[in-house]
Amino acid sequence: MGLAALAAYVLCATPTAYPLDSAELATAAFGLGVAHPPGEETSLLWAKLFTLLPFGSVAFKVALSQAAAGALAAVLVFLLVLESIEALSFVTEATGEKTRVAVAAATAVAFAYAPGVVIVANRAEVYAVQTALSLAALWLALRARASSDARPAFVAALLIGLGVGNHSLVAGLVGLGAVAAALPLLARSSSRARLLALSLAAFAAGLLVHAYLPLRAGALFASADRGMDNVVWGDARTWRGFWWVVSARTFAEKTSVVHGNASPWDLPFLPIEELGAIFALLAPAGAYFLLRRAASRVVGVALLLGAAGAMAAALIGGLDPTNPDIRGYLGPAIALIAVLSGVAIGVGTAFFRAHRLRTVLVLVFLVGALSRFPSPAQYPGLRHAHAADFEARSMLDDLPPRSALFTHHFETGFLVGYQRFVEGARPDVAWTHLAFAAGPGYAERAVAARPELGPVMDAALRRAGLAEQLTKLDETRPVRIEPDAVTPPDIRRTLGPAGDFWAPARSTSPVAMAPLPAWVLAEAAQDRQVRGYLAWRNYIDAVWSCELGFVERARERFAELDRLVPNDERFRALRANCR
């Protein structure tokens, strides 16, 4: 089952840098940086091992780290189905081991090939690792209960601690299922205090992975003049800075915006979308059979608590069904709903007395699950995902020698950082990301690496004199700026188009832009993340062009938007009002 899942994820893995957070996480793994809050150090250390492989790009190798974790998650679904069915004595008495193994195998494949599971296991991310850690902790806690052996429970506590060092929200809430599974063992023990102390010690040992944050931050700040392009969020050298990272405060501040785009009422339908209607709707029956018997009730409660924890994490994170990261939050829930469905199918086989018919039905189930093998070239397969990488390289290639580049959009910043730090592109360019300027420690590192950018960074932080400092810097380094919605109008009016970016008026060169290649448009048509990134860059550039009177430039951008998002209402309103 692990190989069946791994084969799909490897064949579907992105070969180059990808949008969203993937380019950032690939860069952070390669350079052992500090990824965006809450730090996600467990995944970075795991991915670093894969960057040592002697083949493929760094982005592909970090995707392989998630593929391996995703395969482990599929194996754990297989084991959890067997563990859960074993708790139902009437099923084990009526069915053979081969039948139960076949049911568990089909369930594991049904989970592994769910689109939302594939998309977090075939690119640089953290969610496949978190799903594997959460499922492993739950399975080990159930094994400890079944065998009356506390040692697996200690390992489960260790894994929950490592999970908190990866994605604290998902790890903590899903970990409640593992705690519920282990509580009967604690209740039966004559040395409860000792077991509790050892469990807490194991959990604390897992939390030690957090030590990575201040240790790496100290090293990276010390070498800021040599590694500015590496990823370092915040300044974890102090307790206050450490808490800023692990508490994910930067995202908490955006909660109102995130939840403004959320659709929490879609939650009940997402497991159906991922697993298929018939299969997903069997889960309540599986939960019912586990809960109605005392011998299996703890198993049912543990599975339900774990699934509920992942769903709660998705709701807290802002349930946007179009965001693949939300499918990552829901990874443990999708897995445990699949487990409950597998239990229902296992119970169903117990009622078939005709052994041949039972075998046929289980084989049909297995073949149906295998038929969902994802297409490597069709989303969520990312085998041909080159457009974002191409766009970033084109942007850098378009820059004059010794430019000073200021980006704004987070995806552009991540992609440019990957190109420069991992691929070594354009070392002559002095680059900084203005949207991060106010973040703890960022300006300090930027100025240490490129002292000539100091006045610009200071003006950006003070929100005063930025246009003057950009114009002054342009006298020694050609300044190029990525447009953004938050740039004040008075600064925009001092700029003009210059290739793929904008520049102070004296460096303006409104040359016609080359249209996106047909293959990029074809990739964008089937990949919403690529389409969204390219469309946003064209849209915000068109906003500036319309506002500042560069009508021909606006028309060029409108032509691209017509190819990317012809029916977008915001784009059509902009074009209608552009004069």
Side-chain angles (χ1 to χ4, degrees):
M1 291 307 97
L3 291 175
L6 184 63
Y9 303 151
V10 171
L11 288 174
C12 292
T14 176
T16 58
Y18 187 73
L20 297 176
D21 300 333
S22 291
E24 176 221 354
L25 292 168
T27 305
F30 175 74
L32 286 179
V34 177
H36 64 262
E40 297 158 333
E41 53 271 25
T42 304
S43 273
L44 294 187
L45 292 169
W46 171 252
K48 179 61 179 179
L49 298 175
F50 288 78
T51 65
L52 304 177
L53 293 172
F55 55 82
S57 69
V58 167
F60 174 73
K61 289 186 277 195
V62 177
L64 288 185
S65 74
Q66 293 298 307
L72 287 172
V75 170
L76 288 159
V77 168
F78 174 83
L79 295 173
L80 281 165
V81 172
L82 290 179
E83 187 73 31
S84 302
I85 291 178
E86 286 290 330
L88 298 170
S89 57
F90 74 96
V91 177
T92 57
E93 291 169 1
T95 61
E97 183 180 7
K98 290 182 180 179
T99 298
R100 298 194 296 275
V101 165
V103 169
T107 304
V109 173
F111 160 76
Y113 296 164
V117 175
V118 175
I119 195 58
V120 297
N122 64 353
R123 63 187 173 100
E125 253 305 338
V126 302
Y127 298 110
V129 167
Q130 187 54 55
T131 299
L133 287 169
S134 294
L135 295 180
L138 182 54
W139 177 69
L140 286 164
L142 290 172
R143 288 302 307 145
R145 166 196 164 275
S147 62
S148 297
D149 183 350
R151 288 174 296 178
F154 300 149
V155 182
L158 174 71
L159 295 181
I160 294 173
L162 289 171
V164 171
N166 186 66
H167 198 290
S168 51
L169 182 61
V170 176
L173 292 176
V174 179
L176 295 175
V179 172
L183 281 178
L185 178 67
L186 185 65
R188 295 195 303 261
S189 174
S190 58
S191 53
R192 294 187 187 91
R194 178 175 175 273
L195 289 182
L196 184 60
L198 289 173
S199 298
L200 291 174
F203 175 70
L207 288 179
L208 286 175
V209 72
H210 274 322
Y212 169 89
L213 297 175
L215 291 174
R216 283 304 292 162
L220 292 168
F221 270 85
S223 62
D225 59 326
R226 298 189 297 276
M228 179 58 199
D229 296 335
N230 199 356
V231 177
V232 186
W233 281 71
D235 183 358
R237 293 176 297 175
T238 66
W239 279 110
R240 183 177 179 182
F242 173 81
W243 180 247
W244 185 89
V245 176
V246 299
S247 66
R249 185 189 300 179
T250 182
F251 292 102
E253 293 168 355
K254 302 173 184 176
T255 298
S256 59
V257 176
V258 172
H259 284 274
N261 298 321
S263 303
W265 299 112
D266 288 329
L267 179 59
F269 303 100
L270 293 181
I272 296 174
E273 183 180 322
E274 294 293 333
L275 298 170
I278 296 176
F279 187 57
L281 292 175
L282 288 172
Y288 168 75
F289 284 112
L290 289 171
L291 294 174
R292 71 191 295 259
R293 286 172 168 77
S296 58
R297 191 164 296 142
V298 170
V299 177
V301 169
L303 297 178
L304 287 172
L305 271 178
M311 291 180 179
L315 290 172
I316 294 170
L319 189 74
D320 179 0
T322 63
N323 182 355
D325 287 357
I326 287 299
R327 310 298 171 121
Y329 279 71
L330 288 172
I334 296 169
L336 297 176
I337 289 170
V339 170
L340 291 171
S341 300
V343 170
I345 293 168
V347 171
T349 61
F351 291 102
F352 281 100
R353 300 304 178 189
H355 295 290
R356 290 183 180 178
L357 179 59
R358 176 193 298 168
T359 302
V360 169
L361 289 173
V362 172
L363 286 176
V364 167
F365 177 32
L366 180 57
V367 170
L370 288 168
S371 70
R372 301 186 71 200
F373 192 96
S375 168
Q378 185 175 358
Y379 188 87
L382 301 177
R383 187 173 184 177
H384 298 311
H386 293 274
D389 186 72
F390 169 82
E391 178 76 355
R393 283 189 285 108
S394 297
M395 286 188 290
L396 288 172
D397 290 345
D398 190 52
L399 295 172
R402 299 189 67 256
S403 297
L405 174 63
F406 299 94
T407 53
H408 277 98
H409 184 44
F410 77 97
E411 289 180 289
T412 302
F414 294 163
L415 289 163
V416 167
Y418 178 88
Q419 289 294 327
R420 285 170 54 86
F421 187 73
V422 177
E423 301 293 345
R426 297 306 302 265
D428 61 305
V429 172
W431 166 64
T432 190
H433 192 72
L434 286 181
F436 294 161
Y442 186 85
E444 175 188 339
R445 293 188 70 238
V447 174
R450 298 286 189 176
E452 66 271 31
L453 301 185
V456 174
M457 296 296 290
D458 182 61
L461 290 171
R462 291 187 294 105
R463 298 186 179 182
L466 180 58
E468 292 81 358
Q469 293 300 333
L470 290 172
T471 302
K472 185 176 181 180
L473 178 62
D474 191 55
E475 296 173 0
T476 56
R477 280 185 177 272
V479 170
R480 294 295 182 268
I481 302 171
E482 181 184 33
D484 191 82
V486 300
T487 303
D490 60 319
I491 296 176
R492 298 186 198 184
R493 286 192 288 270
T494 67
L495 305 171
D500 220 355
F501 296 97
W502 292 64
R506 69 190 223 48
S507 299
T508 297
S509 55
V511 180
M513 297 297 298
L516 291 171
W519 68 267
V520 171
L521 293 171
E523 182 181 323
Q526 69 165 348
D527 188 331
R528 188 181 187 278
Q529 314 314 320
V530 172
R531 183 168 66 252
Y533 173 59
L534 296 176
W536 173 253
R537 293 200 72 248
N538 279 279
Y539 173 80
I540 203 65
D541 198 290
V543 170
W544 279 35
S545 299
C546 290
E547 179 183 312
L548 300 174
F550 296 96
V551 179
E552 190 58 37
R553 171 91 166 197
R555 288 173 182 164
E556 292 174 7
R557 297 305 188 185
F558 289 156
E560 296 288 54
L561 289 166
D562 257 329
R563 300 183 187 99
L564 291 165
V565 286
N567 299 317
D568 184 81
E569 293 182 6
R570 187 163 50 172
F571 155 49
R572 289 191 292 186
L574 175 64
R575 179 162 58 182
N577 294 318
C578 186
R579 298 289 186 269

